[in-house]
Amino acid sequence: MAGIPYHASEAYVGKLLRAGLRVAVCDQVEDAEVARGLVKREVVRVLTPGTVLEEAYLDGSKSNYVVAISPRLHHHGIAALDCSTGELALIRMDPSEAAIRDELARLRPAEIIAADAERSVLQPLIAGTPVTWVEASDFDARAGADRLRTMLGVETLAAFGCEEWPEALAAGHAALAYAERTHLRLKPGLIRLHAEHPQAFMHLDSGTRRSLGLQSGRELPAEEDLLRLMGEETTTPMGARTLRRWLDQPLRVRERLDSRLERVATLAADALGRGELRAALKGMPDLERTVARVGQGLASPRELRQLQRGLELLPAVHRAGARWEDLAAPPLPAASTELQQELVRALVDEVPATFREGGVFRAGYDPELDAIREGSREAREWIAQLEGAERERTGIRSLRVGFNQVFGYYIEVGHANREPIPADYTRKQTLVNGERYVTPELKEKESLVLNARSAMIGREHGLFRELAHRITSAGSVLLDVAAWVGELDALAALAQLAVRHRWVRPELREEPGIQITGGRHPLVEQALGPGRFVPNDLHLDPPDARIVLLSGPNMAGKSTYLRQAGIIVLLAQVGSFVPAEAAVIGLCDRIFTRVGAHDELARGLSTFMVEMVETAHILSHATARSLLIFDEVGRGTSTYDGVSIAQAILEYLHDAPQIHSLTIFATHYHELTALSERLPSLANYRMEVREEGDRVVFLHQVVEGGADRSYGIHVAKLAGIPPQVVVRARQILQALEGERPLEPPDASAQLQLPIEHPIVQELQQLDLERVSPREALERLFAWQGRGRD
């Protein structure tokens, strides 16, 4: 970076970090005035995408994680460290590549740490994210546990729930060791540890996150970005990050969800109180990241002023929150009040951006600083009066006193002067038009002024360090307050969303099932404007209506209906109100979506192959508590192949005892609607259309019953396909239908795989790894009885 001005380095460093590179920062580490020879320099900081703390390189609404991955035989471990806030999450997961990929999709790491020995295993999973490969010895579980106990000041990690997680502790040690190598100081009280138990949260894979608008790795249009819609209602950076974490980790514990929903309901019902709270939160700075920068010695004087402002706002926020008992506003800690008063006493009203010129602390705050300033002031006043005094003493009217950065203070006399030069004048510099002199007294006053400036700045640096130490000592308290503010802001944002968009509180149940009345897609509704979105119902009520087969033409709104169902369930398990007239949601352990077409050419996968891989993943991991959403499965191949695959999947979902998931299956293969005659848990629904001659009107309404035809040619016409192509397509369709009538399937002629004995088919579908011994024995008895019959 030679040749880049220091004041412009921020922009260049930002470009390098966004490119995934690391930047070493070198600086002088000794006083230039006392150094002999070259001033000693060292690397004082290494800036990396995952360990930066500076506001210029961070997005206040997002966490900035450096993630360490520790794959092991029985479990994988992950540690996610946000150096800018002190958050350290330890995660233990199943030993599969899919689990790592899904967790990385949730965390969206800025940087990844992994052992070089694991490069071949992990490289395919982390493409596109900057990676630092380190020695395997960094992943030391015992050292990680010891370090965390020391940092947290505890004897055991049992209270955090990760004492028996060696994989995660090893990853935690690697993350902390890497942060220290970048010259960050990991101080006790500034690290907050929490263990994330997989059973407490709904699992969402990367495809589902993309379908439901939670994927922010790429820029999404507003009508697809749920994170943006929700985050725009928050008032503070802490609230934005809190709400994003809630959306990324929907809850599965009903007690926690009911508690959160109750608080949202309280805020939504009190418009005046909610307005006062949001007004009090307005202007609140990022307390978490400011405390972190202070702890690292990177905060500027103006950031201390921001911290002071935030502490001044806290009493109003506390009063606003304390009006509702269920918000559990904690007492304001005395440390925050004392610190705020100290900052008011210390800092001047107009704080400079840097320490370069001093002037950060008020007069009267520190006697030593005041004495230095007073000596400097008197010397400056003496110098300011020197010119007039010397003109009068010498009679030289052209005499003037000046200052030069190289030569310091001087008395200048032009060559045209005829008066004699006083004897106490010593020549300092000769110019074309005159001479410059100094006097013993001027040198003495100059020394006072120049030394005073250096002494002033040095003393202010010392005072700033003392103030920073005091803030860091209260860091744990301040971070707790910041977490409370963030949660309060997130709750207020959910309440504001509920009121503004007419969302309702969902009723949560433990039993599987979904009943949505008048459901709406929040993003599409906002894009269309008030009153234009057509709401629809959804009823998934096992065992009678466990699978909804949704048929109808393209462009009729099937994909919107599918996504809105997933979003409503997601929001309910975030603890949010939902866009519907009423909703009863049985808690889900996972949402799976197979929506949209995309390829993964880098992995050698075509669009259809990706579709099949994702479908296989869903069928392998779904449970009776999962919500499955399929959109046009089988469309990427020939019609007969596609219909066969779609029917086989529906039969498997219906009959396989280890799944029995709630399922919405959208298709334009209207032939599949006949399956409801022999699959009792499958219900037919269709997207309603109105035909007016050759014209088709999409009503965007879901009604009972299956579609009896497709409307592909009508859609082609609407899209602007040339008329002669549309006419020819109709002729070809009539010829094909004449050659092979597409009659509804019956018992003797159905679209299915080659006919085999029913017992053989059930045996092929049986998951031997999941079935219990008792269930296997019961099956054998049943098959034996059927065989005798």
Side-chain angles (χ1 to χ4, degrees), residues 653-667:
L653 291 170
H654 187 277
D655 297 332
Q658 75 276 12
I659 298 184
H660 282 188
S661 305
L662 302 177
T663 303
I664 312 174
F665 196 102
T667 183

Side-chain angles (χ1 to χ4, degrees), residues 245-364:
R245 282 194 295 271
W246 290 354
L247 287 163
D248 279 334
Q249 288 185 303
L251 297 171
R252 289 173 55 187
V253 181
R254 184 177 171 185
E255 291 76 13
R256 293 180 62 186
L257 279 170
D258 283 336
S259 173
R260 190 178 291 172
L261 282 168
E262 188 62 36
R263 288 180 288 169
V264 173
T266 297
L267 287 165
D270 188 347
L272 180 60
R274 187 177 70 255
E276 290 179 359
L277 173 60
R278 287 168 62 84
L281 288 167
K282 191 174 183 180
M284 177 69 70
D286 197 334
L287 296 177
E288 287 179 320
R289 287 182 169 168
T290 300
V291 169
R293 282 193 286 269
V294 171
Q296 296 298 328
L298 300 174
S300 68
R302 287 184 180 171
E303 284 181 299
L304 287 201
R305 169 64 79 200
Q306 290 177 0
L307 178 60
Q308 175 195 322
R309 175 61 179 156
L311 295 176
E312 287 174 348
L313 293 174
L314 276 180
V317 174
H318 187 270
R319 285 193 300 271
R323 65 187 291 161
W324 303 287
E325 291 184 4
D326 53 358
L327 292 184
L332 272 182
S336 66
T337 304
E338 293 169 1
L339 188 57
Q340 181 262 328
Q341 292 172 350
E342 182 72 7
L343 289 169
V344 169
R345 202 165 64 84
L347 303 176
V348 297
D349 293 335
E350 297 295 329
V351 181
T354 69
F355 279 106
R356 193 171 302 162
E357 300 298 328
V360 174
F361 291 91
R362 288 183 185 275

Side-chain angles (χ1 to χ4, degrees), residues 441-757:
E441 197 171 7
L442 178 58
K443 291 176 67 175
E444 178 186 345
K445 299 299 184 182
E446 177 188 64
S447 178
L448 277 173
V449 171
L450 298 182
N451 290 341
R453 180 175 178 273
S454 176
M456 256 190 314
I457 294 175
R459 180 57 184 164
E460 290 206 2
H461 273 288
L463 292 172
F464 192 84
R465 284 192 295 270
E466 292 174 10
L467 205 51
H469 176 72
R470 183 164 180 177
I471 294 169
T472 304
S473 298
S476 178
V477 172
L478 294 177
L479 291 177
D480 287 343
V481 170
W484 172 72
V485 169
E487 183 172 354
L488 200 59
D489 187 20
L491 291 169
L494 291 178
Q496 189 73 11
L497 282 161
V499 173
R500 177 170 296 177
H501 300 294
R502 299 177 294 108
W503 295 1
V504 299
R505 178 175 179 171
E507 179 184 342
L508 302 180
R509 294 182 179 175
E510 295 289 350
E511 302 77 21
I514 298 173
Q515 304 290 331
I516 298 173
T517 304
R520 311 187 301 277
H521 192 301
L523 297 166
V524 177
E525 182 181 38
Q526 186 182 50
L528 292 176
R532 298 188 59 192
F533 188 88
V534 178
N536 280 296
D537 300 344
L538 172 64
H539 301 286
L540 288 169
D541 190 15
D544 298 332
R546 183 167 46 81
I547 300 174
V548 165
L549 179 62
L550 180 65
S551 55
N554 291 322
M555 290 292 293
K558 293 197 299 294
S559 293
T560 297
Y561 181 76
L562 297 178
R563 285 188 169 96
Q564 84 183 35
I567 289 174
I568 288 172
V569 173
L570 169 78
L571 291 176
Q573 293 195 219
V574 164
S576 169
F577 282 29
V578 299
E581 294 174 15
V584 180
I585 307 296
L587 297 183
C588 297
D589 62 355
R590 302 183 66 151
I591 299 176
F592 290 98
T593 63
R594 166 84 280 286
V595 179
H598 66 283
D599 56 35
E600 295 184 16
L601 299 180
R603 297 172 60 197
L605 303 180
S606 66
T607 299
F608 182 64
M609 186 62 176
V610 169
E611 179 181 320
M612 291 297 99
V613 167
E614 292 181 353
T615 301
H617 175 74
I618 294 172
L619 297 181
S620 298
H621 293 86
T623 73
R625 302 198 69 89
S626 302
L627 171 62
L628 315 186
I629 297 174
F630 293 94
D631 186 19
E632 308 289 9
V633 171
R635 64 182 169 185
T637 184
S638 71
T639 300
Y640 296 154
D641 276 359
V643 172
S644 300
I645 291 171
Q647 177 172 331
I649 290 172
L650 279 169
E651 291 173 345
Y652 183 76
L653 291 170
H654 187 277
D655 297 332
Q658 75 276 12
I659 298 184
H660 282 188
S661 305
L662 302 177
T663 303
I664 312 174
F665 196 102
T667 183
H668 60 261
Y669 297 135
H670 60 269
E671 299 88 346
L672 295 175
T673 59
L675 289 173
S676 63
E677 297 176 6
R678 64 182 185 86
L679 301 181
S681 294
L682 184 148
N684 278 320
Y685 285 82
R686 71 176 186 272
M687 302 302 303
E688 187 76 314
V689 298
R690 179 187 301 151
E691 295 187 56
E692 299 175 351
D694 290 339
R695 182 168 171 263
V696 172
V697 178
F698 300 119
L699 302 180
H700 304 297
Q701 195 165 24
V702 177
V703 297
E704 289 191 48
D708 58 359
R709 57 175 297 188
S710 299
Y711 293 85
I713 295 177
H714 294 82
V715 174
K717 181 179 178 181
L718 289 174
I721 295 294
Q724 57 268 38
V725 176
V726 174
V727 171
R728 179 57 181 158
R730 288 201 178 103
Q731 294 172 351
I732 295 172
L733 177 62
Q734 291 171 358
L736 290 173
E737 290 177 338
E739 292 175 8
R740 186 180 182 281
L742 297 178
E743 299 175 353
D746 55 29
S748 61
Q750 293 182 352
L751 293 169
Q752 59 184 18
L753 299 177
I755 297 175
E756 295 178 342
H757 194 284

Side-chain angles (χ1 to χ4, degrees), residues 22 69-71 97 100 104 112-127 129-136 139:
R22 288 174 287 173
I69 307 174
S70 177
E97 292 183 358
I100 292 177
L104 294 180
I112 290 174
I113 310 299
D116 191 59
E118 307 289 349
R119 189 188 290 253
S120 60
V121 176
L122 295 177
Q123 186 78 62
L125 307 178
I126 52 184
T129 303
V131 186
T132 298
W133 303 100
V134 300
E135 296 294 328
F139 289 84

Side-chain angles (χ1 to χ4, degrees), residues 191-240:
I191 293 292
R192 293 172 293 162
L193 172 66
H194 61 95
E196 297 184 353
H197 298 267
Q199 297 304 315
F201 304 103
M202 178 195 287
H203 188 89
L204 303 170
D205 58 34
S206 57
T208 301
R209 291 181 183 280
R210 182 174 58 250
S211 298
L212 301 185
L214 300 179
Q215 192 72 23
S216 64
R218 60 184 178 89
E219 286 298 320
L220 291 173
E223 65 271 15
E224 297 180 22
D225 195 340
L226 183 64
L227 288 173
R228 183 188 304 174
L229 172 70
M230 306 289 284
E232 284 177 349
E233 292 296 344
T234 58
T235 307
T236 70
M238 295 87 73

